[in-house]
Amino acid sequence: MQKEIDLSQVPSPCYVLEAKKLRANLRLIRHVQDESGAKIILAFKAFALWDAFPIIREQFDSATASSLCEARLAAEELGSPAYTYAPVYSHKEIDQILQCSKHITFNSLAQVERFTPNVMAADHPVSVGLRVNPELAQVDTDLYNPCVAGSRLGVRACDLPASLPSIVEGLHCHALCESSAEQSENMIAAFESRFGCYLKHVKWVNFGGGHLMTRQGYDTDRLIGAIKAFRSRHPHLQVILEPGSAFAWQTGFLLSTVEDIVENSGIKTAMLNVSFACHMPDCLEMPYKPAIRGAHFDPVEGLPTYRMGGNSCLSGDYVGSWSFDAPLHVGDTIIFEDMIHYTTVKTTMFNGVSHPSIAIFDPEHGGLRVVRTFTYEDYRGRMG
């Protein structure tokens, strides 16, 4: 049995998921679940590689979905109806989503009202939740901050009526992004302070994702303690967590190849057969600089130093700089570490959100012609 990866056999470029590392993460997350009493589910928006679901099922059987495609993936490939939340639902998809879901959380009271008849008509019980906004901003980058001023995500306490709609059985509070146990503890406190008056009327609370419990140095005992303390105050509530990055954190890499080296104004750029814009978009959006195997993360004076350049035509498709112990050459392998979470999902259909159809309107040759539509099979086929 092959114990180590033979990099010469890996096609370039290629994402490589290492099952041993994934299993280690699963064991740690399962420990948090068992000790805290919370139910932990996988967030597909960070990791939805369904060929790895047999490994996921060794410890976990449920996932959170944010679209019809993700809900179908949960039901059909993971084998369990989804815990579904989307910022907005459409009339044409709601009934299909309900067929694939055991929970459905709405982002507004208007959507609760609009789709209550659909929930009531579903052929199986679906528990309804409402997303709330605790107005506690702890995420530095606004792009990833659910509690940024003017956020479209969740209802603020000041905008809620004295009583929740009778169909609402749970509250969903997601306000983190790759956050610490202390930040999770702060969020729980803010949630309880603002929405505590509603808790006796609901059955469950979902504290969302962003709990990066598999990151080195994360205080899992503190997270466990915060959840146990909350449950002791509200023993009738089921507590749910839905981390995404934590499942796939440090579980694999992206292998690429140097195809050219260019120099401009004293800056050398290694031109790769991958793209930050196309394959590692968070590097530009966050932004953040990934680690490269065998390279010095920060430039070292006197050593060969390079930017990494992507192969798209976007002018800003580069990140840098790293230093290497020896000069790079065409054909050298560049391995970007920790490139499984929020990469494969963003190179396909992020959140399972289907691409718009494509049409051509030609009044002289038949009028409108739809030349391409995108379906669940496009999403599933790309995620396999």
Side-chain angles (χ1 to χ4, degrees):
M1 181 181 294
Q2 183 179 351
K3 295 293 186 180
E4 301 294 333
I5 300 174
D6 181 355
L7 296 178
S8 69
Q9 299 301 307
V10 178
S12 179
C14 183
Y15 300 103
V16 180
L17 172 68
E18 299 178 68
K20 181 179 180 180
K21 294 180 178 179
L22 177 60
R23 286 190 170 97
N25 282 355
L26 296 177
R27 288 193 295 271
L28 187 150
I29 297 170
R30 182 57 185 260
H31 168 75
V32 173
Q33 174 174 277
D34 292 345
E35 292 298 312
S36 69
K39 181 175 181 60
I40 299 182
I41 60 181
L42 166 65
F44 279 166
K45 75 174 187 176
F47 180 71
L49 186 65
W50 59 264
D51 271 335
F53 285 1
I55 300 174
I56 299 292
R57 282 196 296 267
E58 292 172 7
Q59 300 287 351
F60 298 94
D61 62 0
S62 300
T64 179
S66 295
S67 65
L68 173 57
C69 285
E70 287 187 341
R72 285 190 61 179
L73 196 73
E76 298 177 16
E77 299 297 338
L78 192 58
S80 178
Y83 292 71
T84 303
Y85 161 78
V88 67
Y89 300 96
S90 68
H91 181 74
K92 70 177 183 178
E93 290 185 346
I94 189 66
D95 290 332
Q96 297 177 75
I97 288 174
L98 289 167
Q99 288 176 8
C100 302
S101 304
K102 64 171 60 177
H103 280 202
I104 187 164
T105 295
F106 295 99
N107 189 60
S108 71
L109 291 166
Q111 287 242 305
V112 172
E113 181 179 2
R114 180 183 180 189
F115 293 120
T116 288
N118 301 78
V119 174
M120 299 300 293
D123 61 6
H124 66 280
V126 181
S127 185
V128 171
L130 177 68
R131 179 166 178 170
V132 294
N133 188 324
E135 301 180 79
L136 178 66
Q138 301 184 95
V139 179
D140 292 335
T141 304
D142 284 351
L143 184 65
Y144 299 90
N145 183 4
C147 294
V148 67
S151 174
R152 77 196 201 286
L153 302 174
V155 184
R156 298 177 303 167
C158 63
D159 296 322
L160 283 175
S163 298
L164 296 172
S166 60
I167 197 171
V168 172
E169 295 185 339
L171 294 177
H172 183 289
C173 179
H174 174 45
L176 305 173
C177 177
E178 297 185 356
S179 300
S180 66
E182 179 182 5
Q183 290 169 320
S184 295
E185 192 175 57
N186 294 341
M187 183 194 70
I188 292 172
F191 167 83
E192 196 169 11
S193 172
R194 286 171 170 79
F195 304 101
C197 61
Y198 299 102
L199 296 183
K200 63 185 176 184
H201 304 294
V202 296
K203 299 178 180 179
W204 53 266
V205 168
N206 186 329
F207 285 129
H211 313 272
L212 194 49
M213 58 190 77
T214 52
R215 179 169 54 193
Q216 186 175 8
Y218 186 97
D219 191 346
T220 54
D221 289 340
R222 185 167 186 168
L223 177 64
I224 290 167
I227 295 169
K228 290 176 71 174
F230 178 86
R231 292 182 61 240
S232 71
R233 295 189 295 272
H234 310 282
H236 69 290
L237 292 178
Q238 180 187 40
V239 175
I240 302 164
L241 303 182
E242 47 183 40
S245 294
F247 277 84
W249 189 258
Q250 297 286 355
T251 59
F253 56 87
L254 173 59
L255 182 145
S256 65
T257 301
V258 177
E259 301 290 358
D260 193 13
I261 296 174
V262 300
E263 185 171 355
N264 187 328
S265 302
I267 297 173
K268 292 182 179 180
T269 301
M271 303 292 286
L272 307 177
N273 62 346
V274 294
S275 163
F276 292 98
C278 301
H279 308 131
M280 299 170 276
D282 280 358
C283 292
L284 302 181
E285 293 175 359
M286 181 69 84
Y288 85 98
K289 179 183 173 183
I292 292 177
R293 187 173 300 180
H296 300 274
F297 187 80
D298 295 314
V300 178
E301 187 175 356
L303 290 182
T305 300
Y306 303 84
R307 281 179 176 173
M308 296 295 124
N311 60 351
S312 81
C313 289
L314 176 69
S315 299
D317 189 3
Y318 66 86
V319 173
S321 294
W322 294 260
S323 291
F324 295 79
D325 291 331
L328 294 180
H329 299 93
V330 171
D332 284 350
T333 295
I334 299 293
I335 295 178
F336 292 97
E337 303 287 14
D338 193 22
M339 280 292 160
I340 300 301
H341 61 95
Y342 282 111
T343 52
T344 54
V345 289
K346 287 195 173 184
T347 59
T348 53
M349 292 179 177
F350 179 48
N351 255 190
V353 176
S354 291
H355 298 319
S357 298
I358 301 171
I360 297 173
F361 178 64
D362 186 347
E364 296 181 5
H365 296 87
L368 184 70
R369 177 166 59 96
V370 178
V371 298
R372 178 71 192 271
T373 58
F374 296 88
T375 68
Y376 169 72
E377 290 305 322
D378 293 298
Y379 168 71
R380 178 186 176 277
R382 295 178 184 186
M383 288 309 309

